[in-house]
């Protein structure tokens, strides 16, 4: 049996194009903002079908800046899921607002209208649904709750819901281009996207020290721009995104067809969603035992969020004792299996065989 790593992905086929793009930036010496960043912003906005894309330094800054651009202020409450990467809640706390943790559906790993409504109070000023693992949270169900909806689309570049791109469903959305995400750059990078002209203007100002003209500073902002080198790399890789995601969906289909569901609970796609399979996450009653058995058979697997955010030490002040049964269930049972655009059918078969109980 071949060794199957957790991430089966590589930029090797694109090294030449990437080096050319980086050389172009070096030749022009336009390293901060400039034509490459503007071109990527236009290309990514067009890809998503939104009016504005503003490149920032990473997906965590993107969340903090977008929340402020949507009007969230110090002391405001923001509803976020606990079962997600820590940065979703961290960005809320970093701007002085209060993360209020809501539950997820343990089968989709996403929030629902019901779990969000349960967490809302009169002090709620925004909600941040996360498109976790590349599934798409049901954002249209959240649009009439009376507060802005900010999609955390860090794991869902290229996913869609009922034909609309993830990132174009809420009032604004944030992306990360960290190298392991579906649309990677060559280090850290991120973006805020929105159809709202005023919010986009505020994001542009906040990413540049709260200034529009570099002379007058009207906000306490950030030094948080997408590097021109990263923008140039992203322009090479964006045209690959749909093909990569289609290959990821083929792997998921192969897992299903090959009978993986006889051994573990398969991920459930949100109704109407086109999943981007950032990770292929199944559920099992004893996931760490299964991971150990898989390791012996040469297959990598891991749990990502065994300790959900609301139980992290840094979040003790924000409802560490919240009652979130779906979150606890997801945290206890989830396990990521190998996934990636370059994972072969034979490797998928090896994963399925490795998941079968020892006879
Ligand atoms: C990766 C990620 C982020 C943070 O992005 P960075 O670019 O690493 O700062 C935020 N939210 C989610 C759900 C993520 O997966």
């Amino acid at each position: 049996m071949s060794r199957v790593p957790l991430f089966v992905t590589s930029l090797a086929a694109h090294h030449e194009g990437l080096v050319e793009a980086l050389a172009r930036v070096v030749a022009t010496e336009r390293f901060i903002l400039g034509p490459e960043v503007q071109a990527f912003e236009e290309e990514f906005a067009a890809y998503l079908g939104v009016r504005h894309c503003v490149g920032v330094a990473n997906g965590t800054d993107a969340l903090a800046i977008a929340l402020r651009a949507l009007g969230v202020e110090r002391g405001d409450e923001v509803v976020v899921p606990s079962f997600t990467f820590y940065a979703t809640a961290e960005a809320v706390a970093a701007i002085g607002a209060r993360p209020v943790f809501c539950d997820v559906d343990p089968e989709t790993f996403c929030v629902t209208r019901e779990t969000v409504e349960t967490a809302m109070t009169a002090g709620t000023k925004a909600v941040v649904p996360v498109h976790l693992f590349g599934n798409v949270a049901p954002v249209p169900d959240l649009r009439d709750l009376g507060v802005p909806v900010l999609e955390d689309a860090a794991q869902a570049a290229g996913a869609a819901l009922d034909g609309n791109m993830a990132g174009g469903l809420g009032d604004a959305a944030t992306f990360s281009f960290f190298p392991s995400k579906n649309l990677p750059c060559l280090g850290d990078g991120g973006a805020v996207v929105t159809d709202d002209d005023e919010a986009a203007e505020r994001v542009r100002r906040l990413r540049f020290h709260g200034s529009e003209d570099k002379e007058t500073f009207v906000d306490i902002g950030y030094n948080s721009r997408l590097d021109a080198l990263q923008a140039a790399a992203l322009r090479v890789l964006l045209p690959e995104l749909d093909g990569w995601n289609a290959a990821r969906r083929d792997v998921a289909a192969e897992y299903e067809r090959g009978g993986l569901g006889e051994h573990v609970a398969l991920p459930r796609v949100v109704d109407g969603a086109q999943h981007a399979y950032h990770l292929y996450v199944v559920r099992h009653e004893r996931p760490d035992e299964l991971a150990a058995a898989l390791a012996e058979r040469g297959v990598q697997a891991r749990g990502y969020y065994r300790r959900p955010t609301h139980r992290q030490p840094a979040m003790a002040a924000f409802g560490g004792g919240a009652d979130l049964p779906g979150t606890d269930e997801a945290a206890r049972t989830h396990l990521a299996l190998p996934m990636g655009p370059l994972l072969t059918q034979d490797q998928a078969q090896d994963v399925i065989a490795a998941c079968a109980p020892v006879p």
Side-chain angles (χ1 to χ4, degrees):
M1 195 177 273
S2 68
R3 190 182 159 277
V4 191
L6 192 54
F7 297 108
V8 188
T9 177
S10 165
L11 297 180
H14 307 286
H15 280 182
E16 210 175 306
L18 289 167
V19 169
E20 261 172 39
L22 299 181
R24 191 171 68 226
V25 176
V26 173
T28 61
E29 299 189 21
R30 297 287 302 275
F31 296 118
I32 301 294
L33 299 178
E36 293 289 343
V37 173
Q38 194 184 337
F40 170 70
E41 288 175 342
E42 286 168 10
E43 287 159 15
F44 195 45
Y47 172 81
L48 295 173
V50 297
R51 285 171 61 80
H52 306 282
C53 168
V54 185
V56 297
N58 56 67
T60 307
D61 283 2
L63 284 163
I65 291 172
L67 286 166
R68 286 184 58 189
L70 291 174
V72 175
E73 296 180 354
R74 200 161 276 281
D76 289 347
E77 291 182 7
V78 178
V79 173
V80 296
S82 168
F83 191 69
T84 170
F85 180 54
Y86 175 70
T88 311
E90 181 187 35
V92 174
I95 65 167
R98 276 190 77 79
V100 175
F101 294 103
C102 73
D103 213 356
V104 292
D105 176 341
E107 294 191 357
T108 64
F109 303 117
C110 288
V111 304
T112 65
R113 179 181 171 102
E114 204 180 10
T115 66
V116 169
E117 259 189 314
T118 303
M120 287 183 71
T121 73
T124 303
K125 291 293 157 57
V127 47
V128 186
V130 178
H131 301 316
L132 202 67
F133 305 139
N135 211 354
V136 186
V139 175
D141 296 353
L142 311 176
R143 288 307 297 270
D144 64 349
L145 289 172
V147 296
V149 178
L150 174 63
E151 301 166 70
D152 182 343
Q155 301 188 2
L161 186 70
D162 295 323
N164 301 307
M165 301 300 288
L169 304 167
D171 294 280
T174 60
F175 286 88
S176 165
F177 307 122
F178 186 84
S180 67
K181 311 284 180 175
N182 289 42
L183 176 60
C185 68
L186 310 180
D188 281 308
V192 179
V193 304
T194 182
D195 278 332
D196 182 329
D197 297 351
E198 274 175 39
E201 199 64 21
R202 283 197 288 274
V203 172
R204 281 186 196 285
R205 202 164 66 217
L206 284 167
R207 79 170 167 181
F208 201 106
H209 303 288
S211 179
E212 275 163 24
D213 60 4
K214 307 182 196 177
E215 284 185 27
T216 309
F217 298 86
V218 298
D219 287 312
I220 308 293
Y222 303 82
N223 178 4
S224 184
R225 296 163 303 242
L226 179 66
D227 279 333
L229 285 165
Q230 299 301 355
L234 284 162
R235 296 184 66 202
V236 174
L237 299 177
L238 177 58
E240 308 299 327
L241 179 60
D242 284 342
W244 283 336
N245 282 345
R248 288 171 183 273
R249 284 192 290 275
D250 286 346
V251 172
E254 185 64 22
Y255 279 153
E256 248 180 80
R257 198 165 42 231
L260 182 64
E262 291 164 29
H263 313 308
V264 296
L266 301 182
R268 206 185 91 220
V269 180
V270 169
D271 286 344
Q274 188 171 43
H275 205 304
Y277 293 106
H278 170 59
L279 294 171
Y280 191 84
V281 181
V282 301
R283 284 170 301 128
H284 189 270
E285 273 306 305
R286 294 177 309 282
D288 295 326
E289 270 175 48
L290 176 59
L294 291 175
E296 279 180 19
R297 299 172 190 182
V299 172
Q300 271 188 345
R302 73 170 264 214
Y304 273 78
Y305 313 126
R306 279 289 170 255
R307 191 204 286 226
T309 313
H310 73 291
R311 297 194 194 286
Q312 294 295 341
M315 293 290 152
F318 306 112
D323 182 29
L324 305 173
T327 297
D328 286 335
E329 157 104 12
R332 185 177 63 80
T333 60
H334 79 286
L335 187 70
L337 297 181
M339 173 47 80
L342 300 182
L343 196 140
T344 64
Q345 293 208 347
D346 284 350
Q347 286 177 310
Q349 291 301 332
D350 286 351
V351 173
I352 298 166
C355 285
V358 183

